[in-house]
Amino acid sequence: MIHVIGTGPVGLLMASLLKDQGHSPVIVGKTGRAEPYLKFAKTDVTGKVTQYAIAYRHWETLPPASISFALICTKARDALQAYHQAVCCLQKEGQVVFLNNGMGPQQAAMQLTPAMVLIGSNTHGAYLEANGGLVHAGIGSVVLGSEYASAPIANLPHGFLWAPDMRPILWRKLGINALINPLSVIYQCQNGDLATLPHARARLARMAVEVDQIAARSAGISELSSEQAAIEVARQTANNWSSTMQDYRAGKPNELPYILGYLLEAAAKEGLSCPQLSLAFQETSTMPPYSGR
Ligand code: KPL
């Protein structure tokens, strides 16, 4: 049984994809519910709508040793807490996968319990509509792995890919998020617009140069090519509102401290100056409240 921690778009998307493949996922959330399942409609990339009713548990009702495999689908700021809660309910040899954007929580957990932690990267695009409906706006992939596990875990869900060395994959995803997420807020646009609006596209290219430099100097990744990677994902998820844009619209804190903040810290350690990324971080931190579109 796979537990999916988090009831945001990524959590619901993962639970629905697992259900589509015949798994019986259990969504774990922070609030108690009258019904033991969560009902929602998903619109897939072709516009087809499917209704789901997926088992739901509140943390407090999860018995010890009840989790064998859990996907942490919370925001980065909640991921470490979710990990600590999951560890309390984990079976011997159980594993948790971090699927949050950005860096920090997964590395911290990896240091605490390396054998229990898998690092994941998700490039699917999904958002929630005002009525709670889930929109799967762009097909991506889920890759997971760990340098501490020598072979793919058994029973890897279909559509989940295994990579023994997650570092380049995490950095690729970090680069994509460092470009798409802040710019989608600055230009208040969907992901696809970043590939077509000339001023946004040009700014993305300028920021990408700095992202690639940080990856090379800080992580030894010499060819991140973050501009190409971000444009590819922006096209694949053209109709998606990035998670940062969704947070901005909802007046919620975003994950940019774990994305741009992480990169700028890494740059500072290397003595690299990154005016483009600093400006984007500053601009997105001081945006007036969302006023519509
Ligand atoms: O991860 C994403 C996000 O929105 O946070 C992408 C892949 C950019 C999809 O929107």
Side-chain angles (χ1 to χ4, degrees), residues 10 75 99-102 122-127 137-138 140 173 176-181 184 191 194 230 233-234 236-247 255 259:
V10 178
K75 294 286 183 186
L99 282 182
N100 57 280
N101 280 338
N122 160 45
T123 51
H124 286 276
Y127 63 92
K173 165 80 173 156
I176 291 166
N177 287 131
L179 301 175
I180 293 182
N181 293 42
S184 66
N191 293 356
L194 297 173
V233 171
Q236 278 163 358
T237 61
N239 296 328
N240 199 43
W241 298 97
S242 79
S243 56
T244 308
M245 184 58 192
Q246 293 174 52
D247 289 335
E255 293 179 300
I259 300 170

